[in-house]
């Protein structure tokens, strides 16, 4: 990797915005590889996920965060805290909005949280594949009026349109700096996290209503087996027996479909053969149980404000 002497730029690029605007889709599009799961349901991303892109002239550490929303439970508090904790490290913020819709209160709230830092921010109008040039021009004005941005970039994350321009503009805003991570590194999470997330993604895509919010997926064992096979045991935790029944489906059909789709993706992404052994268990009210949350990978920060009763 040829570094251009003193001119090499590097830093943390925060993907920020309300839920469902396409932050994770954009991260995957920029990296050219899936590191974060994507669903049509808001609040898909629960953890901070860093994706590293290294070029001849720069290293971008993109940080995907949970969409900003008012927490309803301890899990929601974890998600908001996770997003907020990523703020001070940011060198550039990509404030991502859904340009197919006018600004909402949730966009304004997400922007308000950015006021605690003074970091160059690009307004990223996403989903432009859904709208005409005229509407895009309107949205550009409406969103730009919400705050002060270094620039506005229109993209379509699903069509991977506009992402090169976005990268260029982002690079200009990065400070001169070293490579923080090895050039070949893409994600900061282990394979077990990606597999658990791929299972959760399929389960979210294949269920409705309350199941998605009540679901956590934990990889409890990963072990090599003969002939380059990897055995993975993952447990899908839900909060009620009725949800467990939905996930398992008639004669185990639903769980089989979830497993089949998740395994195909995991094998393609990791380049390994995987035996995916899925289990469904009930853990009542886990979203409000701090000891369980910590075990599930969603530890609540110690200092936290009291939440208003629902
Ligand atoms: N048409 C269109 N849909 C998009 C685009 N980008 C994302 N989407 C869709 O928008 C939905 C949400 O995408 P995500 O990437 O999960 O959104 P997010 O901002 O990460 O959401 P949270 O993780 O919940 O905060 C999915 O159905 C995506 O397929 C886009 O450029 N065009
Ligand atoms: Mg996301």
């Amino acid at each position: 990797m040829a570094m251009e002497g003193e001119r090499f730029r590097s830093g943390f690029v925060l993907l920020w915005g309300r839920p469902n605007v396409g932050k994770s889709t954009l991260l995957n599009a920029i990296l050219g590889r899936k590191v974060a799961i994507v669903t049509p349901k808001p609040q898909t991303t629960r953890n901070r996920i860093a994706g590293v892109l290294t070029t001849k002239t720069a290293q971008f550490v993109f940080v995907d965060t949970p969409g900003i929303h008012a927490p309803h439970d301890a899990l929601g508090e974890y998600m908001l805290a996770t997003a907020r904790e990523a703020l001070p490290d940011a060198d550039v913020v990509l404030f991502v909005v859904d340009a197919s819709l006018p600004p909402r209160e949730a966009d304004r709230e997400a922007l308000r949280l950015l006021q605690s830092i003074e970091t160059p921010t690009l307004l990223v109008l996403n989903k432009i594949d859904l709208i005409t040039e005229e509407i895009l021009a309107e949205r550009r004005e409406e969103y730009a009026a919400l705050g002060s941005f270094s620039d506005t970039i229109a993209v379509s994350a699903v069509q991977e349109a506009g992402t090169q321009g976005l990268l260029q503009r982002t690079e200009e805003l990065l400070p001169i700096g070293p490579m923080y991570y090895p050039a070949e590194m893409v994600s900061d999470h282990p394979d077990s996290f990606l597999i658990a997330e791929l299972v959760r993604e399929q389960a979210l895509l294949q269920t409705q209503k309350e199941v998605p919010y009540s679901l956590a997926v934990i990889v409890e064992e990963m072990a090599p087996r003969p002939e380059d096979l990897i055995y993975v045991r993952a447990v899908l935790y839900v909060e009620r027996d009725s949800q467990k029944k939905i996930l398992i489906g008639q004669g185990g059909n639903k769980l089989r479909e979830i497993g089949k789709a998740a395994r195909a993706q995991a094998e393609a992404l990791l380049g390994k053969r995987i035996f995916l052994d899925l289990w469904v268990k009930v853990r009542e009210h886990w979203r409000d149980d701090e000891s369980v949350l910590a075990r599930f990978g969603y530890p609540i920060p110690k200092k936290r404000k009291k939440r208003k009763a629902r």
Side-chain angles (χ1 to χ4, degrees):
M1 177 80 28
M3 277 210 210
E4 294 205 341
E6 302 279 293
R7 307 295 308 154
F8 196 81
R9 293 177 182 273
S10 62
F12 289 85
V13 183
L14 190 63
L15 289 149
W16 189 262
R18 71 166 175 81
N20 220 35
V21 293
K23 298 177 294 298
S24 301
T25 310
L26 185 60
L27 174 67
N28 294 337
I30 289 170
L31 297 177
R33 190 199 146 114
K34 182 163 178 171
V35 298
I37 62 167
V38 167
T39 83
K41 297 173 175 109
Q43 296 161 41
T44 295
T45 304
R46 289 176 176 168
N47 305 88
R48 171 192 189 276
I49 299 174
V52 185
L53 179 73
T54 308
T55 68
K56 282 204 179 89
T57 53
Q59 183 168 69
F60 307 78
V61 185
F62 290 97
V63 176
D64 190 12
T65 54
I68 301 305
H69 69 283
H72 295 300
D73 49 33
L75 173 64
E77 282 179 30
Y78 164 78
M79 288 162 65
L80 182 61
T82 298
R84 297 186 75 148
E85 278 170 6
L87 281 173
D89 289 337
D91 295 295
V92 178
V93 177
L94 304 184
F95 179 61
V96 185
V97 302
D98 180 345
S100 74
L101 300 166
R104 316 178 162 179
E105 186 46 35
D107 295 298
R108 293 188 184 89
E109 181 56 33
L111 206 49
R112 266 196 289 278
L113 291 181
L114 284 181
Q115 286 169 357
S116 64
I117 53 170
E118 282 177 24
T119 307
T121 300
L122 291 173
L123 172 61
V124 181
L125 302 166
N126 188 30
K127 309 198 189 184
I128 58 166
D129 54 291
L130 297 175
I131 52 173
T132 60
E133 286 290 331
E134 289 74 31
I135 296 184
L136 176 57
E138 265 175 49
R139 292 290 146 73
R140 193 183 278 273
E141 275 188 24
E142 291 169 348
Y143 278 105
L146 298 182
S148 73
F149 302 101
S150 306
D151 207 344
T152 303
I153 317 269
V155 301
S156 164
V158 283
Q159 296 187 342
E160 297 180 19
T163 50
Q164 280 310 316
L166 174 61
L167 270 182
Q168 243 172 46
R169 200 64 191 88
T170 304
E171 182 168 337
E172 288 164 15
L173 295 171
L174 282 179
I176 304 286
M179 270 209 229
Y180 290 108
Y181 296 101
E184 63 283 357
M185 181 168 152
V186 181
S187 164
D188 66 338
H189 283 281
D191 292 350
S192 57
F193 175 82
L194 182 64
I195 295 172
E197 287 287 271
L198 291 171
V199 172
R200 193 164 65 85
E201 179 180 52
Q202 285 307 318
L204 297 194
L205 291 174
Q206 299 191 35
T207 58
Q208 307 299 325
K209 293 185 193 140
E210 89 277 27
V211 178
Y213 302 99
S214 293
L215 176 67
V217 180
I218 315 296
V219 165
E220 299 204 331
E221 186 186 347
M222 247 177 112
R225 291 285 154 90
E227 294 178 31
D228 283 338
L229 190 71
I230 298 174
Y231 170 84
V232 179
R233 188 179 68 246
V235 182
L236 292 81
Y237 284 98
V238 284
E239 294 183 300
R240 281 195 287 280
D241 211 46
S242 57
Q243 298 168 336
K244 177 176 171 175
K245 286 203 180 77
I246 293 171
L247 271 179
I248 292 173
Q250 203 79 43
N253 262 337
K254 180 74 91 189
L255 196 60
R256 250 195 309 281
E257 286 305 311
I258 290 169
K260 220 167 92 182
R263 178 175 59 97
Q265 282 213 37
E267 288 189 334
L269 282 167
L270 303 177
K272 294 170 183 163
R273 281 172 60 230
I274 291 168
F275 181 93
L276 191 54
D277 188 13
L278 297 186
W279 295 81
V280 184
K281 293 184 185 173
V282 177
R283 179 74 81 251
E284 280 181 17
H285 307 298
W286 68 260
R287 282 185 291 170
D288 260 322
D289 184 330
E290 291 185 22
S291 62
V292 180
L293 278 169
R295 198 161 73 71
F296 284 3
Y298 309 122
I300 304 272
K302 291 252 154 37
K303 271 187 266 160
R304 64 188 173 102
K305 283 192 203 134
K306 263 225 169 309
R307 179 163 29 94
K308 278 186 207 138
R310 247 192 277 190

